[in-house]
Amino acid sequence: MKFIRQILYVLLLIIPALPASAQEEGEKKGVDLQEVLWGHIKDAYHWHIMDIGGEPVVIHLPVIVKSSTGWHVFSSSQFAEEPDAAGNKPGPFGLYISGGEAHPNKICEMVDGQEVRPFDISITKTVAVLFIDAIILLLCVLIPARWCRRHKIDDPAPKGFVGFMNMFITYVYDDVVKPTLGKEADKYAPYLLTCFFFIFIANVMGVVPFPPGGGNLTGNITCTFFLALCTFLVTNITGTKAYWKEVFWPPVPTWLKVPLPLMPIIEFFSLFTKPLALMIRLFANMLAGHAIALSLTCIIFIMFALNAFAGSMMTVVSVLMSVFMMLLEVLVCFIQALVFTMLSAVFISLAHVHEHETETVKE
């Protein structure tokens, strides 16, 4: 699978490597290749669904900002669709969506001749997808919980959606959480199961090409940063005294600790590299999967801009590869959620080492 994924990564280099004339020709025919490729990945103040007859079908989202003139709440439809000469999309109250390099695609305003960003808590596409995924997660949790409250433990096993969720929860708990945390599994199972199902739902909804899916939430590093931060806080706040002793006074030869605290410094930085690895792994895998799938589609338009024969041949190849990539993405959605949960459980278990366990290891 890694070999196949490496081959697909190479496809990302095909679009910029193709002749610029072909890309320009594709744009002349109404296909903005960069917009197709990055429009799905980047955040936005609207939710573009599709184009019908050359007209975009867009869900406009609420804009909530506090600018130099006070609080303003309005629809993103009030921003101009086409940029002006400066590359900005003007809107009401002196606000505009910047086309500059300092704040690209962000709401800005001019204050004393300088471009500044107001306090922005708008419901962007990523935020809207986050709310949708959170609602789905609550349904996945509350519906089985409601069934469990109304039935006894010796009742027949549930069927349908509740039965599926029961099987799913049991699998993650019995095969990931419990073997890793042992006696403390029940204490941390709610957090770890929440992480798994939230990431899995977000991943799957990102693969769905139409609303309420289509938002690449876990391909946004802000989301993966927050998830990794939660694991970091749970791990270190609940860590035992023996765990912190191993960080600042690890069981290594004394000359590695004094006078130069080499190992304590390494152990201290390892506290941050672990959640950093969680953040980057999830973000990079989900972002790359979406980018590759979209790149395969963009290649069709580029090849048709060259000639009809090349476009026809590439269409067959691109469709087959896109189908394969989407099937692979569904598998990656599950694997990445499982890996994040498993590593979080491992980090938590390492923070719960006790003094007698440390002495046993030293012996």
Side-chain angles (χ1 to χ4, degrees):
M1 183 180 295
K2 183 180 291 186
F3 175 73
I4 296 174
R5 200 168 183 83
Q6 289 174 348
I7 294 176
L8 294 175
Y9 277 127
V10 177
L11 292 175
L12 285 174
L13 303 177
I14 293 179
I15 291 180
L18 287 171
S21 59
Q23 299 184 42
E24 293 174 359
E25 185 66 25
E27 293 179 2
K28 290 179 182 179
K29 295 182 178 181
V31 181
D32 191 341
L33 301 180
Q34 291 186 352
E35 181 66 22
V36 172
L37 180 58
W38 298 113
H40 176 77
I41 297 173
K42 289 183 178 180
D43 199 5
Y45 293 97
H46 62 275
W47 196 335
H48 181 268
I49 302 175
M50 65 179 72
D51 290 335
I52 299 179
E55 294 295 327
V57 179
V58 177
I59 299 176
H60 293 285
L61 301 172
V63 175
I64 308 172
V65 296
K66 182 182 181 182
S67 67
S68 58
T69 58
W71 283 97
H72 304 290
V73 181
F74 56 93
S75 173
S76 61
S77 62
Q78 297 189 38
F79 287 109
E81 295 183 5
E82 298 297 331
D84 56 17
N88 303 323
K89 296 181 179 180
F93 310 109
L95 302 171
Y96 59 90
I97 297 180
S98 175
E101 296 182 357
H103 308 289
N105 299 317
K106 299 296 183 181
I107 295 178
C108 298
E109 64 174 338
M110 296 298 294
V111 178
D112 298 330
Q114 294 185 348
E115 183 180 81
V116 297
R117 287 199 61 195
F119 181 67
D120 189 355
I121 54 172
S122 303
I123 307 299
T124 61
K125 179 182 177 182
T126 299
V127 177
V129 171
L130 175 62
F131 287 155
I132 293 171
D133 293 347
I135 293 172
I136 296 175
L137 175 63
L138 287 174
L139 294 176
C140 291
V141 172
L142 296 178
I143 292 176
R146 183 170 177 267
W147 184 94
C148 291
R149 285 197 303 268
R150 295 187 174 186
H151 293 78
K152 299 180 180 179
I153 193 170
D154 55 350
D155 286 348
K159 299 180 181 180
F161 174 75
V162 176
F164 174 76
M165 288 301 302
N166 180 67
M167 176 195 68
F168 221 162
I169 294 170
T170 303
Y171 166 74
V172 177
Y173 178 79
D174 290 343
D175 291 356
V176 177
V177 179
K178 194 171 183 179
T180 306
L181 290 170
K183 296 180 180 180
E184 295 184 330
D186 291 345
K187 182 178 179 181
Y188 296 97
Y191 168 71
L192 294 172
L193 287 170
T194 301
C195 283
F196 174 81
F197 283 104
F198 177 78
I199 294 173
F200 180 67
I201 290 171
N203 291 347
V204 172
M205 294 299 288
V207 174
V208 177
F210 50 83
N216 190 18
L217 184 60
T218 45
N220 187 311
I221 199 167
T222 306
C223 177
T224 58
F225 168 78
F226 178 77
L227 293 171
L229 178 63
C230 291
T231 295
F232 173 79
L233 293 176
V234 171
T235 300
N236 292 286
I237 290 176
T238 63
T240 61
K241 293 181 179 179
Y243 165 71
W244 288 107
K245 181 180 178 181
E246 286 187 354
V247 173
F248 295 104
W249 195 257
V252 296
T254 305
W255 62 272
L256 290 174
K257 296 180 285 189
V258 290
L260 179 64
L262 180 61
M263 288 305 298
I265 291 175
I266 294 175
E267 291 291 338
F268 178 75
F269 277 103
S270 70
L271 300 179
F272 302 95
T273 56
K274 292 174 182 177
L276 182 66
L278 286 177
M279 176 184 72
I280 298 299
R281 178 183 287 106
L282 179 60
F283 162 72
N285 277 278
M286 300 314 301
L287 177 66
H290 285 71
I292 293 169
L294 292 170
S295 297
L296 290 170
T297 304
C298 290
I299 292 174
I300 298 176
F301 301 101
I302 295 177
M303 289 302 179
F304 266 111
L306 292 174
N307 58 71
F309 177 77
S312 301
M313 294 298 295
M314 184 52 65
T315 299
V316 177
V317 176
S318 180
V319 169
L320 293 176
M321 291 297 292
S322 296
V323 172
F324 169 76
M325 190 62 204
M326 295 306 293
L327 294 176
L328 184 62
E329 273 296 289
V330 174
L331 179 61
V332 171
C333 290
F334 173 77
I335 292 176
Q336 290 304 314
L338 195 65
V339 168
F340 188 98
T341 306
M342 180 180 64
L343 291 179
S344 296
V346 170
F347 296 156
I348 293 173
S349 67
L350 292 175
H352 285 75
V353 63
H354 297 283
E355 197 69 33
H356 66 86
E357 294 175 358
T358 305
E359 295 174 357
T360 302
V361 173
K362 291 174 64 177
E363 294 176 359

